[in-house]
Amino acid sequence: MQKRKNVVVLGSINADIILKLARLPKPGETMKLQGFETAGGGKGANQAIAAARSSSEVHFVGRVGADAYGKMMCELLQKDGINIEHIKTDANNPTGQAYILLQDSGENSILVNSGANVFIQEEDVKDARYLIEKADVIVAQFEVPINRIIEAFKMARAAGVSTILNPAPATKVPDKLLELTDLITPNEVEAEMLTDIHVDNPISQRNAARMLQAKGVKNVILTLGSEGAYYLTENNQEQAVPAFKVKAIDTTGAGDTFIGCLAAKLNPNFDNISQAVHYANKASSLTVQKIGAIPSIPTEKEVTRR
């Protein structure tokens, strides 16, 4: 039986306000909503819950506002057994919010008010040093300040803890952060932002991955949506792992499910990377068949069920 992983997530916590509509409105057009829901979200929270539901011990480092959304999100995380001791309440800034425009096609567009997520302080990371140093892996994304990620990854690297960087939303990344990253997991858009290579075929996938390695990253997994994923390891192992073909109802949280499940299942030496990516792909395929981010993330039992 695989050892239960100890995962630290340094990340964002948002309340998702889901607006259901037939299609995106044209400029100047007024449309009626087909429905409205509020659910838990934020890339960090989604990834933490995905890892927890895949049998990991998860600790969270982040911030919420002193408001109803913050209380709701802390309760949601605790419900999945996530340690929230290092989620601090910010009296001056609201809990992050994401407004998700969900179309009939299952595609979504998202508007984010970052709130307390971007006010994570250096002392927040320092206070969590002991958690980071005893973890198996730390996961971070770009809905929190990059400087805080660098600080946390330095602690992890010094302690021999694996680092996973989900470079989303897409932005330029300092080389010093890439050099502290054991595994980076960009999608096609993020990969192009990082490498200036348009990723649309196997050759461009390999070229983008090799460029990321040249910048200091040890291992690369490109997430390719309905096409699955491609990985390249520091030992030059590579493989395209196909996605599971399903009818997508809502793609919100699919990428985060992949990252969280990957963190839960990937061995520190990456010797099971093919199996871990396969598992994460299957989990993502289950996520897109339900509405919302956190409500749609599957459990390990659901993923492994035949």
Side-chain angles (χ1 to χ4, degrees):
M1 181 180 290
Q2 186 184 38
K3 172 181 173 288
R4 189 171 186 234
K5 295 286 285 297
N6 185 330
V7 178
V8 171
V9 176
L10 168 61
S12 57
I13 300 170
N14 291 333
D16 286 352
I17 295 88
I18 304 166
L19 309 177
K20 301 176 186 177
L21 64 169
R23 56 172 174 79
L24 293 180
K26 299 175 183 178
E29 180 182 14
T30 299
M31 290 177 61
K32 287 185 177 180
L33 291 177
Q34 296 175 334
F36 172 95
E37 292 182 19
T38 300
K43 297 190 74 62
N46 296 343
Q47 292 171 17
I49 286 178
R53 290 182 185 173
S54 283
S55 302
S56 288
E57 176 185 344
V58 182
H59 301 262
F60 204 101
V61 181
R63 284 198 173 208
V64 295
D67 48 37
Y69 283 145
K71 181 180 179 183
M72 176 190 81
M73 289 305 303
C74 286
E75 290 175 351
L76 274 175
L77 293 169
Q78 283 185 304
K79 186 176 180 181
D80 273 285
I82 294 167
N83 185 304
I84 65 167
E85 178 185 351
H86 287 275
I87 296 177
K88 297 191 177 180
T89 299
D90 190 322
N92 300 312
N93 298 286
T95 301
Q97 299 162 38
Y99 295 85
I100 300 169
L101 309 181
L102 176 60
Q103 303 172 65
D104 283 348
S105 65
E107 294 299 314
N108 63 66
S109 301
I110 303 175
L111 305 172
V112 176
N113 175 28
S114 297
N117 292 312
V118 295
F119 291 95
I120 296 174
Q121 301 298 308
E122 182 178 359
E123 58 264 29
D124 298 353
V125 176
K126 287 181 177 178
D127 288 347
R129 177 186 289 273
Y130 76 98
L131 283 180
I132 295 168
E133 291 179 341
K134 72 175 185 178
D136 294 306
V137 60
I138 180 170
V139 182
Q141 338 74 35
F142 288 157
E143 289 182 337
V144 298
I146 288 178
N147 284 344
R148 302 292 88 84
I149 301 173
I150 291 172
E151 291 157 7
F153 277 22
K154 282 181 178 177
M155 293 177 189
R157 178 60 62 86
V161 175
S162 296
T163 57
I164 297 179
L165 178 64
N166 177 217
T171 188
K172 293 293 184 182
V173 184
D175 286 347
K176 59 184 176 181
L177 177 55
L178 296 177
E179 292 165 1
L180 293 167
T181 299
D182 292 311
L183 170 64
I184 195 167
T185 60
N187 62 21
E188 301 102 311
V189 173
E190 294 149 6
E192 183 171 358
M193 174 73 76
L194 292 168
T195 66
D196 292 324
I197 295 173
H198 183 60
V199 178
D200 60 356
N201 59 56
I203 293 175
S204 60
Q205 291 165 17
R206 181 181 294 111
N207 289 341
R210 290 198 182 284
M211 182 172 288
L212 286 167
Q213 286 184 327
K215 290 175 178 285
V217 179
K218 292 183 178 180
N219 305 276
V220 181
I221 297 177
L222 302 180
T223 58
L224 307 170
S226 62
E227 298 302 312
Y230 162 84
Y231 68 78
L232 176 66
T233 72
E234 62 179 327
N235 297 322
N236 290 318
Q237 296 177 351
E238 62 178 332
Q239 184 182 355
V241 183
F244 290 78
K245 301 302 180 183
V246 298
K247 178 177 174 54
I249 296 173
D250 179 9
T251 58
T252 307
D256 296 330
T257 297
F258 181 96
I259 304 303
C261 289
L262 186 76
K265 296 302 175 185
L266 188 60
N267 291 339
N269 63 1
F270 287 44
D271 63 352
N272 69 333
I273 188 168
S274 181
Q275 297 94 324
V277 172
H278 179 86
Y279 177 94
N281 273 347
K282 187 173 183 182
S284 296
S285 76
L286 295 174
T287 298
V288 302
Q289 296 180 66
K290 296 180 181 179
I291 295 289
I294 288 173
S296 67
I297 296 171
T299 63
E300 182 174 47
K301 185 177 180 180
E302 290 170 325
V303 178
T304 56
R305 182 185 300 153
R306 292 190 177 184

